[in-house]
Amino acid sequence: MSPQTATAAMLAIGDELLSGRTKDKNIGHLAEVMTVAGIDLKEVRIIGDEPHMIADTVNTLRRSYDLVFTSGGIGPTHDDITADAIAAAFGLPVIEHPEAIARLGSHYAAREMEFTPARRRMTRTPEGASLIDNPVSVAPGFRIDNVFVMAGVPSVFQAMLASLADTLPVGTPLKSRTIPCLFGEGDIGDPLSAIARAHPDVVIGSYPKFDGTGYFNEIVVRSRDEAALDDAASAVDAMLAAQASR
């Protein structure tokens, strides 16, 4: 892994996401975890249950970013096709992972439930994959190279991601300051642009808000360099003070 800040992308898979039937909760959670870990989440894509699209998208993302996280499509039903699509992306055969068989076999035996062919589908991974623990419902995710394949159910996705925490590269977390702004973007756009140009190591964003009674802005200043963050935030404060005195 490069000593530079690691980059990541996410691929959320499922027709139900695109139809609006299911509201995704995993993207925001991953973004929060990546921010704390000091990893830059650069891109998120949402696609349907189409094997060729999944494989092509995974190949694009894994060649562009250090880490790729997927959610969805690793359950026991016919439309859970992510394992096959990931295997196709890497040109690998799909196998029933021996360790996954052992884990699920023991799990269902302890519950006196039949280990049906549908349940065995959840043991399928590309050959050579390592497993991602699932402390919620046992059925594992898997990792192949820099691609981490996880469940779409939010509680399971979150648990799987937590189990990976010690294996992910740790960078310097991005620090941020939120500065309230009572002026419209049309009033502050030019001076804010000048501040952004003068502080190239800082990311500055302006976010309009509505609180039910009126509009206002929040200016968010972000940087991994605390001194640079302080300088830019001070410049924003000074700009707002100058705007108020007009």
Side-chain angles (χ1 to χ4, degrees), residues 1-6 34 36-39 67 165-173:
M1 189 70 66
S2 167
Q4 296 179 341
T5 301
M34 293 295 97
V36 170
I39 298 169
L67 308 168
D166 292 339
T167 69
L168 299 177
V170 177
T172 303

Side-chain angles (χ1 to χ4, degrees), residues 2 24 64 70 78 95 117 130-131 144 177 195 213 230:
S2 167
D24 181 88
S64 302
T70 79
H78 71 283
I95 64 164
S130 58
L131 299 184
I144 185 78
R177 303 275 176 81
I195 293 171
T213 59
D230 289 340

Side-chain angles (χ1 to χ4, degrees), residues 10-33:
M10 180 177 178
L11 177 60
I13 300 166
D15 290 342
E16 69 277 12
L17 298 175
L18 294 173
S19 71
R21 180 180 178 84
T22 297
K23 307 298 188 290
D24 181 88
K25 296 181 179 179
N26 297 326
I27 294 171
H29 181 75
L30 179 68
E32 291 174 352
V33 171

